[in-house]
Amino acid sequence: MQKPQEPANDAPTGKKPPIRVKQTLCKRVREALLSLGGEAHRSMVIEQVARTLGHDVRQIPEELQLEVIVSFEQTWRDERKRAAYGFHLPFGEGSHRWSVREDALAA
């Protein structure tokens, strides 16, 4: 009889590590918003960031999309960072319309 295989200790658990907000990604989101007139739907911002990173905007990796969304939302929730980057939700929390206030300090 064969012994059933046991999973290796280093086998992935299926859980992804939490996404850390990268300052360079926040800067790219800010630049994208400014290039789009200061306000745009988040899908347009994601496309603009993906384009600057050299991705085909017809096939943006889901991981990148999630990183962009998380970077905006976590920065927006932190009062100090929100002031530094100028991130704003013109229609309130839960809105997919993002904007940036140009009078904010350059990040």
Side-chain angles (χ1 to χ4, degrees):
M1 284 181 73
Q2 285 186 342
K3 185 177 176 183
Q5 287 186 342
E6 294 180 22
N9 288 341
D10 59 348
T13 61
K15 293 183 180 179
K16 291 186 178 182
I19 295 175
R20 292 180 46 213
V21 174
K22 300 173 187 162
Q23 282 187 318
T24 54
L25 194 54
C26 291
K27 289 178 184 178
R28 289 184 189 273
V29 169
R30 179 178 165 72
E31 291 167 3
L33 280 164
L34 290 172
S35 72
L36 293 167
E39 185 173 315
H41 190 277
R42 76 180 187 187
S43 62
M44 291 179 67
V45 176
I46 292 168
E47 285 179 10
Q48 186 75 9
V49 170
R51 188 175 291 114
T52 63
L53 293 173
H55 292 279
D56 179 356
V57 295
R58 296 170 295 180
Q59 297 179 339
I60 302 170
E62 284 184 44
E63 185 175 314
L64 176 60
Q65 293 179 44
L66 185 58
E67 286 177 353
V68 171
I69 292 168
V70 168
S71 70
F72 181 91
E73 289 183 354
Q74 286 185 357
T75 301
W76 177 78
R77 291 181 193 288
D78 183 311
E79 189 174 330
R80 184 182 54 82
K81 289 181 182 177
R82 179 175 58 233
Y85 287 95
F87 289 173
H88 178 65
L89 289 172
F91 298 117
E93 191 166 352
S95 170
H96 291 187
R97 187 87 178 164
W98 294 351
S99 73
V100 65
R101 294 186 172 149
E102 293 183 49
D103 60 339
L105 301 172

